[in-house]
Short mmCIF file of all heavy atoms in Angstrom, two decimals:
data_model
loop_
_atom_site.label_atom_id
_atom_site.label_comp_id
_atom_site.label_asym_id
_atom_site.label_seq_id
_atom_site.Cartn_x
_atom_site.Cartn_y
_atom_site.Cartn_z
N CYS A 23 -55.96 -5.97 48.81
CA CYS A 23 -56.99 -5.99 50.00
C CYS A 23 -56.92 -7.47 50.58
O CYS A 23 -56.42 -8.39 49.84
CB CYS A 23 -58.43 -5.87 49.51
SG CYS A 23 -58.72 -4.24 49.07
N GLN A 25 -59.36 -9.42 51.56
CA GLN A 25 -60.37 -10.27 50.93
C GLN A 25 -61.34 -9.28 50.26
O GLN A 25 -61.35 -8.12 50.48
CB GLN A 25 -61.17 -11.11 51.97
CG GLN A 25 -61.85 -10.26 53.05
CD GLN A 25 -62.29 -11.26 54.15
OE1 GLN A 25 -61.44 -11.99 54.69
NE2 GLN A 25 -63.50 -11.09 54.69
N ALA A 26 -62.06 -9.82 49.32
CA ALA A 26 -62.96 -9.02 48.47
C ALA A 26 -64.28 -8.71 49.22
O ALA A 26 -65.05 -9.68 49.42
CB ALA A 26 -63.18 -9.62 47.18
N CYS A 27 -64.70 -7.51 49.46
CA CYS A 27 -65.94 -7.22 49.95
C CYS A 27 -66.95 -7.35 48.81
O CYS A 27 -66.61 -7.12 47.72
CB CYS A 27 -65.94 -5.76 50.47
SG CYS A 27 -64.74 -5.38 51.77
N TYR A 29 -69.45 -6.10 47.77
CA TYR A 29 -70.07 -4.92 46.96
C TYR A 29 -69.15 -4.13 46.15
O TYR A 29 -69.48 -3.26 45.42
CB TYR A 29 -70.75 -4.03 47.98
CG TYR A 29 -69.87 -3.40 48.99
CD1 TYR A 29 -69.03 -2.37 48.82
CD2 TYR A 29 -69.79 -4.05 50.25
CE1 TYR A 29 -68.20 -1.95 49.85
CE2 TYR A 29 -68.90 -3.71 51.29
CZ TYR A 29 -68.12 -2.57 51.00
OH TYR A 29 -67.23 -2.14 52.02
N CYS A 30 -67.86 -4.44 46.38
CA CYS A 30 -66.73 -3.55 45.95
C CYS A 30 -66.32 -3.72 44.44
O CYS A 30 -65.98 -4.85 44.06
CB CYS A 30 -65.53 -3.67 46.77
SG CYS A 30 -64.21 -2.46 46.37
N PHE A 32 -63.88 -1.53 43.15
CA PHE A 32 -62.56 -0.84 43.05
C PHE A 32 -61.49 -1.79 42.46
O PHE A 32 -61.78 -2.92 42.49
CB PHE A 32 -62.18 -0.23 44.45
CG PHE A 32 -62.97 0.92 44.92
CD1 PHE A 32 -62.82 1.23 46.25
CD2 PHE A 32 -63.88 1.49 44.23
CE1 PHE A 32 -63.66 2.37 46.82
CE2 PHE A 32 -64.66 2.55 44.72
CZ PHE A 32 -64.50 2.94 46.01
N PHE A 34 -58.39 -3.69 42.93
CA PHE A 34 -57.61 -4.29 44.03
C PHE A 34 -57.25 -5.70 43.74
O PHE A 34 -57.96 -6.36 42.91
CB PHE A 34 -58.17 -4.13 45.37
CG PHE A 34 -59.38 -4.99 45.53
CD1 PHE A 34 -59.35 -6.36 45.97
CD2 PHE A 34 -60.69 -4.54 45.18
CE1 PHE A 34 -60.45 -7.19 46.09
CE2 PHE A 34 -61.85 -5.33 45.23
CZ PHE A 34 -61.64 -6.71 45.72
N GLY A 73 -57.19 3.17 48.46
CA GLY A 73 -57.12 1.96 47.77
C GLY A 73 -58.48 1.32 47.45
O GLY A 73 -59.42 1.99 47.23
N GLY A 74 -58.54 -0.01 47.59
CA GLY A 74 -57.57 -0.97 48.12
C GLY A 74 -57.40 -0.63 49.63
O GLY A 74 -58.16 0.03 50.30
N THR A 75 -56.38 -1.23 50.22
CA THR A 75 -56.20 -1.08 51.64
C THR A 75 -54.75 -0.67 51.98
O THR A 75 -53.89 -1.54 52.21
CB THR A 75 -56.54 -2.43 52.35
OG1 THR A 75 -57.67 -2.98 51.92
CG2 THR A 75 -56.56 -2.30 53.95
N ASN A 108 -58.15 -0.27 57.40
CA ASN A 108 -59.32 -1.08 57.88
C ASN A 108 -59.18 -1.39 59.31
O ASN A 108 -57.97 -1.57 59.83
CB ASN A 108 -59.36 -2.32 56.92
CG ASN A 108 -60.14 -2.04 55.67
OD1 ASN A 108 -60.91 -1.04 55.67
ND2 ASN A 108 -59.97 -2.82 54.72
N ARG A 145 -66.85 -8.24 54.99
CA ARG A 145 -65.77 -7.39 55.48
C ARG A 145 -64.84 -8.28 56.38
O ARG A 145 -65.21 -9.28 56.86
CB ARG A 145 -66.41 -6.24 56.38
CG ARG A 145 -67.28 -5.26 55.61
CD ARG A 145 -66.51 -4.41 54.70
NE ARG A 145 -65.52 -3.59 55.56
CZ ARG A 145 -64.69 -2.73 54.78
NH1 ARG A 145 -64.70 -2.56 53.51
NH2 ARG A 145 -63.77 -2.04 55.52
S1 LIG B 608 -61.40 -3.25 51.81
FE1 LIG B 608 -62.22 -1.58 50.56
S2 LIG B 608 -61.26 -1.54 48.59
FE2 LIG B 608 -60.88 -3.64 49.58
S3 LIG B 608 -62.58 -4.89 48.76
FE3 LIG B 608 -63.30 -3.99 50.65
S4 LIG B 608 -64.27 -1.99 50.14
FE4 LIG B 608 -63.10 -2.80 48.37
#
Side-chain angles (χ1 to χ4, degrees):
C23 292
Q25 59 195 50
C27 301
Y29 54 85
C30 181
F32 290 167
F34 66 90
T75 313
N108 276 342
R145 295 288 302 178

